Amino acid sequence: MSAADVAIVGTGPNGLAAGVVLARAGLRVELHEQAETIGGGLRTVPLFDSGVVHDLCAAVHPMAAASPFFRAFGLAARGVELLHPEISYAHPLDGGRAALAYRSLAATCAHLGPDGPRWRQLMGPLLEHSDGVVDLLLSGQRGLPRDPVAAVLLARRVAVHGSGLGAARFRGEEAAALLTGVAAHAVGRLPSLASGAVAMLLGHLAHGTGWPLPRGGSARIAEAMAQDITAHGGVFHTGHTVTDLAELRGARAVLLDTSPKGLLALAGDRLPRPYARGLGRFRYGPGAAKVDFLVSEPIPWSDPAVGRAGTVHLGGTHAEMVRQETANARGVRTREPFVLVVDPAVTDPGRALPGKRPVWAYAHVPNGDPTDPYDLVRARIERYAPGFGDTVLDHRSVPAAHYEAYNPNYVGGDIGSGAITLYQSLARPVPRLDPYRTPLPGVFLCSAATPPGPSVHGMSGYLAAISALRHRFGMRDVPGLSATSESFKSGRAR
């Protein structure tokens, strides 16, 4: 039985964000984690050499830089330094060509030739209304937008670039591939309205708050939140799996940083049948298969400029990516999957030792795919960086089918905790006015299976915590995010 006011199951970024808010509200908070270390998708460990650390899941954090929660929390003031590469992301093409998304919009447009003005017309207005775009897409999506102009700008662009009309707006392969590579972060069928929204959000942020990496690795973000929680009386229990909600009796509120599958397992037959059936119908998306490399030197890209990018998308042309991602969404594995690559030492040189540096790579594959991704990913990199295989000193592969063992939220390797479709973006995990409240009194869902969905932004945890404060603890005067930074300074949530 829990003696805490609040019990939180799962210590990914959303569980930690909920813990920060609730502990600062003066509540006794206990967080439960089945792994020996906290963090969920924010873990950084040495895999092959004690001096070289690897991010086990998330490595690059555009949402942490843009998120209203993290802006209020103040990562920099807590010792987390977000480092920005000169080139946010790059997209190599055959023939030694590459499309480059510089942090500078002007530099990006200058390198896109005749498509430069089109890129400026696409991204410039979003940058001017970036706060409104971010607030809209990183909200609970249950109210009117605070910036109607941002909503209109976004809707128009999503309608075009979430359809087959988008690529036709560009003359060259470079600009079309650059945008489609960002849309592929939706990990699903291309094109779609959901992928168009992802492209507009991440695409404009590349020229705004950026796509940074935390100095020293992603675990620095989790550590900062954990330190704040313990400073306000919170307690962590690691190395223990909570298997039933009955274990948490006594807590006035329970927040679950779990998938809908996890909620069903913890609740058993306590949930009303209609809600349980809704959770059972929740769709999971394609999987991610991971390869961590230890290499002897920087990746030998055919275009050296790619080596200055924080993130690299390997997907070929717009048409190739449409075929690859749509096949994955249908459960068909391709021989040349879409791959994201990060050489962290490009942005954070301290991550490398002489003759040793980490390389991080994800391939998009069908949900539950058991294939060892090493050969696929190595060949994908070699296509644009001949000789890469000769630099590999060691590697670790994780097939999509094995990711759920690492983190139960990653059902079948779905690191987004649910397919990113238009319907599921609005009705995560089931259609409800308050998606964080479950029918069980005092039980809330705070994972990426609730709005606004996946990525390291903490907003699902923040919004679930606000719901718990209002509906379980009667704290009606709960501040919005515009006031949260001041409440963080004062150490109270009201």
Side-chain angles (χ1 to χ4, degrees):
M1 179 178 290
S2 175
D5 295 313
V6 179
I8 299 174
V9 178
T11 61
N14 287 307
L16 292 171
V20 166
V21 173
L22 294 166
R24 283 183 167 271
L27 301 173
R28 294 170 299 161
V29 178
E30 294 186 359
L31 298 94
H32 302 264
E33 170 59 53
Q34 72 166 17
E36 295 297 331
T37 57
I38 66 161
L42 295 174
R43 293 193 178 107
T44 307
V45 301
L47 291 175
F48 315 108
D49 185 288
S50 60
V52 179
V53 295
H54 299 254
D55 292 312
L56 295 184
C57 292
V60 181
H61 296 281
M63 292 297 97
S67 161
F69 169 77
F70 279 117
R71 292 204 309 265
F73 182 66
L75 287 172
R78 301 169 194 279
V80 180
E81 185 179 1
L82 296 180
L83 304 175
H84 293 271
E86 172 195 4
I87 299 172
S88 294
Y89 65 96
H91 194 109
L93 294 165
D94 290 332
R97 298 171 297 150
L100 307 172
Y102 289 83
R103 183 126 185 247
S104 163
L105 178 61
T108 303
C109 295
H111 284 79
L112 287 176
D115 283 323
R118 292 176 174 82
W119 194 267
R120 185 184 299 279
Q121 290 170 4
L122 180 66
M123 297 298 175
L126 295 177
L127 281 170
E128 293 173 6
H129 291 269
S130 185
D131 286 349
V133 171
V134 170
D135 286 346
L136 176 61
L137 293 180
L138 292 190
S139 69
Q141 298 163 4
R142 295 297 188 274
L144 295 174
R146 286 191 288 178
D147 183 348
V149 174
V152 171
L153 290 170
L154 184 64
R156 289 176 176 173
R157 285 157 173 77
V158 169
V160 173
H161 293 279
S163 72
L165 300 173
R169 293 292 182 98
F170 299 113
R171 294 181 184 176
E173 286 186 341
E174 286 81 359
L178 198 64
L179 190 63
T180 307
V182 183
H185 282 250
V187 197
R189 179 179 63 84
L190 290 178
S192 69
L193 293 177
S195 69
V198 169
M200 294 305 107
L201 176 61
L202 292 177
H204 95 276
L205 289 178
H207 311 300
T209 50
W211 289 21
L213 283 75
R215 185 184 296 279
S218 295
R220 297 292 183 265
I221 297 175
E223 290 165 1
M225 287 195 282
Q227 289 167 3
D228 191 76
I229 291 169
T230 55
H232 289 84
V235 177
F236 287 85
H237 304 284
T238 58
H240 170 69
T241 302
V242 177
T243 60
D244 194 294
L245 289 177
E247 297 177 43
L248 306 174
R249 289 194 311 270
R252 295 171 62 192
V254 174
L255 280 78
L256 303 177
D257 188 2
T258 69
S259 68
K261 181 179 177 181
L263 170 55
L264 284 168
L266 288 166
D269 60 2
R270 301 178 184 89
L271 288 170
R273 287 184 181 179
Y275 185 81
R277 283 196 299 268
L279 294 180
R281 290 192 296 266
F282 186 77
R283 288 179 51 203
Y284 295 94
K290 177 86 180 301
V291 184
D292 293 293
F293 297 95
L294 182 68
V295 300
S296 59
E297 59 188 65
I299 300 172
W301 300 109
S302 295
D303 184 339
V306 176
R308 307 203 307 272
T311 301
V312 180
H313 297 152
L314 305 182
T317 64
H318 163 80
E320 288 177 302
M321 286 181 280
V322 168
R323 287 195 297 270
Q324 293 156 9
E325 292 298 276
T326 301
N328 277 337
R330 293 172 177 167
V332 178
R333 183 165 61 89
T334 67
R335 288 184 294 177
E336 292 189 313
F338 182 87
V339 172
L340 291 92
V341 178
V342 177
D343 178 349
V346 168
T347 309
D348 182 4
R351 295 281 295 274
L353 295 176
K356 296 178 182 178
R357 60 197 290 135
V359 168
W360 174 106
Y362 267 124
H364 292 177
V365 298
N367 190 283
D369 187 87
T371 307
D372 185 317
Y374 173 68
D375 289 334
L376 288 171
V377 171
R378 184 191 61 191
R380 204 71 171 117
I381 299 174
E382 285 265 1
R383 176 173 168 178
Y384 304 101
F388 170 74
D390 297 333
T391 73
V392 176
L393 303 173
D394 210 339
H395 79 278
R396 184 199 73 146
S397 300
V398 182
H402 294 181
Y403 247 119
E404 194 170 347
Y406 163 75
N407 187 332
N409 285 6
Y410 300 161
V411 177
D414 175 9
I415 58 176
S417 294
I420 303 175
T421 64
L422 180 62
Y423 174 78
Q424 260 193 193
S425 295
L426 299 173
R428 295 174 77 92
V430 298
R432 286 175 73 85
L433 185 60
D434 184 341
Y436 313 100
R437 296 176 72 187
T438 77
L440 299 179
V443 178
F444 299 80
L445 191 63
C446 68
S447 70
T450 63
S455 199
V456 179
H457 44 61
M459 289 299 297
S460 297
Y462 169 82
L463 293 167
I466 295 302
S467 181
L469 287 173
R470 286 176 173 154
H471 298 292
R472 197 61 177 171
F473 296 98
M475 296 186 182
R476 301 297 175 186
D477 186 24
V478 176
L481 277 172
S482 61
T484 304
S485 56
E486 190 60 39
S487 72
F488 281 166
K489 293 174 186 176
S490 66
R492 299 287 295 179
R494 62 169 185 157

